[in-house]
Amino acid sequence: MSAARPLSHNDATGPCAVCGKSGLPCARCRVHYYCSKEHQKEHWPQHKPGCGSIGLVNGVVVATKCIPAGTVIMREVPTLTFPSSPWTYHALKIKWMCSACYANMTWMKSAYQCTRCGLPVCDDQCSQSTNHQVECQIMQRAKYKVSEVDLRGPQNFFFGAVVATLRIAAAFRGNPLLQHLDREWNFEIEGYKRVPSATSMIRGNHKACSTVASLLRRTVKEFSEDDLKRAARISFMYGEEMEGPSPERFIGVTKQRYGRHLYLGMQLRKHSCYPNTGDRCMAPETAEHVVVTTRNISAGECITKNHQGVDWLDETMQRRTLIFTRWGFVCDCERCSDPTEMGMYVGSPCCVVCARKGRQSYLVPVVKDHSQWRCEGCNKKMTEAQVQCLTLDVEKKMDKLHGSPPDKLLKFIASQLHPRGPLHPTHGLVLRAKDYIRAYIYENRADEYASESEIDTWEVVIRDLLRAMDRLLPGTSEARIMALLELRRLVLGRVRLYCSDILLTALGDFKDVCPEIMDPSFWKDREAVLEVNKELCRYHFNRDEDEPKRSLINDPFGGR
């Protein structure tokens, strides 16, 4: 059990997979930790499918043997962290962000600055933090200090990117895994033809990375301009956005943080909008994640992931535009290559001609760049622009409804479904509207004061989303976890309508004592909660011995 790090960066010690005591990682894969050889042997049947199952070929992770679905193949903590991207906090109207803890400092009348380098920090504690020392020492060696004028000027937009670029540039030379992320933007001419809308955004991305590099190069001489451009590009392409818990929702949280994590091994997976792996968060406090296979993988097959920001709800051209703009390639994965998008027709409106005749048929693309479409029912041919016009007004109306109560969104969906409108139940705009409903329920805690009929309706919406995920994004994902958690809260909300909080506290034994007092629906909903809990356990926890998993199974009605 040596401390070698083959494909990912993780902690030198961790809880034993058998007993939970401190142990060392498996020397071959570093996925599980063991306190002794005996416990390693005991856990071998569970550990065997994923151990030594992946390797690096031409900078991409591939399966070295057949891997069954549900296998943990990688475990990783971020190699580097840095403030959120300028585009993220600019959209949120954040003036200043702490370089050490990534807290929003907009509430301050003037930003507190590190006394040595001048970068924005919360206080002296953040200034002295080990998380801030890399860029601070680089700027001290360059004998440069950010002035208050700079911090208040237009360049403050780039300070988060400056910190990220310096940290990556400093780590690059001594980290072979990080060097695998040195990938140039090779925008093919064919890509511009297939994604013409990306041209202006690509120019903006290039300009932003060049601006950060030139800003630093004026004062920091220990890195070449090419080194700085490369670091800025890696930050932009592979930094995973992380939004911390909100002080408004969580007790004990005093700062709203917006940061980014750079995972190395996990980013060496090939992109696919229909990935064969998903990520699970094991420890929110350390941002430790494990990679789990979502279906059976054959030996030699590339290990794939869905890049952050590529929304499963979007139709093919929306996803392709984002992917080409940020990573420089046109996605031709299984889902993008299928005109029907796995039979869900996410980007396909209903044919107007067929609708007039009382039939429901879908329009599908017939060429790779989606410039030509045809109806599956009547074979009517249309251009991409004509197809977009069918749903343009619907999309504008839905954008205005973002954040509206569920009843307004449900009325909107009903008014736009065939035959009254161009949409169908699995169209991307319908799925998006249902996700808006899910988000509204969560953000406003609407389930806590909803009626039984409202809970019934909302539960149908959440289950519709989960069924769509089963086809479009199978396996573990943040979207699935959020939907399952909201489903659990809705079913619990119905249970609370049946009984008092006093009865809930004794739920484990109450059925055996006096079940005849309870409404039969209560026990049906109790079983529904247990089923959702099992699903959550399957996606959210890794070890059968995990205390949170035992707690979720044994206490299905505990807490938020």
Side-chain angles (χ1 to χ4, degrees), residues 90-277:
H90 181 68
L92 295 170
K93 298 181 180 180
I94 296 174
K95 292 182 181 178
W96 305 293
M97 188 177 296
C98 178
S99 301
C101 72
Y102 323 134
N104 180 4
M105 297 166 56
T106 304
W107 58 273
M108 295 182 175
K109 292 183 179 179
S110 61
Y112 187 93
Q113 293 178 263
C114 173
T115 55
R116 298 182 303 281
C117 69
L119 285 170
V121 289
C122 290
D123 47 35
D124 285 335
Q125 184 177 355
C126 281
S127 179
Q128 299 292 335
S129 167
T130 56
N131 208 27
H132 172 60
Q133 297 313 302
V134 171
E135 63 275 8
C136 189
Q137 291 173 10
I138 290 173
M139 295 178 75
Q140 287 180 68
R141 289 195 293 270
K143 298 181 180 180
Y144 174 73
K145 185 176 179 179
V146 177
S147 68
E148 186 176 351
V149 174
D150 289 336
L151 209 58
R152 290 182 175 277
Q155 291 183 355
N156 80 330
F157 178 77
F158 291 102
F159 279 126
V162 163
V163 172
T165 300
L166 288 176
R167 291 183 186 178
I168 292 172
F172 186 84
R173 294 171 188 168
N175 195 316
L177 281 179
L178 184 54
Q179 292 166 16
H180 281 295
L181 297 182
D182 180 16
R183 298 170 181 173
E184 290 284 351
W185 273 317
N186 295 317
F187 296 100
E188 305 168 353
I189 295 177
E190 180 66 23
Y192 282 108
K193 291 180 180 178
R194 294 171 64 181
V195 193
S197 60
T199 304
S200 60
M201 290 185 283
I202 290 170
R203 289 173 183 164
N205 295 339
H206 274 283
K207 184 177 180 180
C209 289
S210 297
T211 300
V212 172
S214 60
L215 278 173
L216 285 169
R217 185 58 183 160
R218 294 173 194 170
T219 54
V220 177
K221 304 300 182 182
E222 62 183 274
F223 303 109
S224 69
E225 189 162 351
D226 286 342
D227 290 339
L228 295 170
K229 284 183 179 179
R230 175 180 59 206
R233 187 171 63 247
I234 290 173
S235 166
F236 175 77
M237 293 173 72
Y238 300 109
E240 299 259 348
E241 294 288 345
M242 178 278 299
E243 181 178 340
S246 169
E248 297 177 357
R249 291 186 61 87
F250 296 91
I251 298 173
V253 176
T254 58
K255 300 177 181 179
Q256 178 66 67
R257 307 174 195 271
Y258 299 95
R260 278 186 295 165
H261 297 150
L262 184 60
Y263 298 91
L264 300 187
M266 289 166 60
Q267 292 293 358
L268 295 175
R269 290 172 291 171
K270 187 178 179 180
H271 168 77
S272 172
C273 301
Y274 188 68
N276 56 25
T277 64

Side-chain angles (χ1 to χ4, degrees), residues 24-60:
L24 298 175
C26 167
R28 191 180 185 191
C29 67
R30 299 184 67 85
V31 166
H32 291 109
Y33 292 78
Y34 302 103
C35 64
S36 64
K37 288 288 184 182
E38 289 73 21
H39 279 183
Q40 189 174 20
K41 290 179 181 178
E42 182 181 337
H43 194 252
W44 176 244
Q46 293 80 27
H47 182 72
K48 181 181 178 181
C51 189
S53 61
I54 56 174
L56 204 59
V57 178
N58 297 324
V60 177

Side-chain angles (χ1 to χ4, degrees), residues 265-328:
M266 289 166 60
Q267 292 293 358
L268 295 175
R269 290 172 291 171
K270 187 178 179 180
H271 168 77
S272 172
C273 301
Y274 188 68
N276 56 25
T277 64
D279 303 338
R280 294 181 191 164
C281 181
M282 291 286 289
E285 63 277 6
T286 61
E288 182 182 33
H289 281 67
V290 292
V291 174
V292 188
T293 56
T294 57
R295 56 182 183 270
N296 295 335
I297 300 176
S298 303
E301 187 178 345
C302 287
I303 304 299
T304 58
K305 65 164 288 187
N306 191 31
H307 277 317
Q308 188 187 50
V310 182
D311 200 329
W312 71 279
L313 296 166
D314 288 339
E315 51 88 18
T316 297
M317 288 309 294
Q318 290 174 312
R319 298 193 311 276
R320 277 181 171 169
T321 299
L322 174 62
I323 293 164
F324 186 64
T325 301
R326 185 169 175 183
W327 292 282

Side-chain angles (χ1 to χ4, degrees), residues 392-402 412 416:
L392 187 60
D393 288 341
V394 180
E395 190 169 356
K396 289 179 180 179
K397 290 177 183 177
M398 197 185 76
D399 286 342
K400 293 180 181 179
L401 288 172
H402 189 193
F412 166 78
Q416 300 301 330

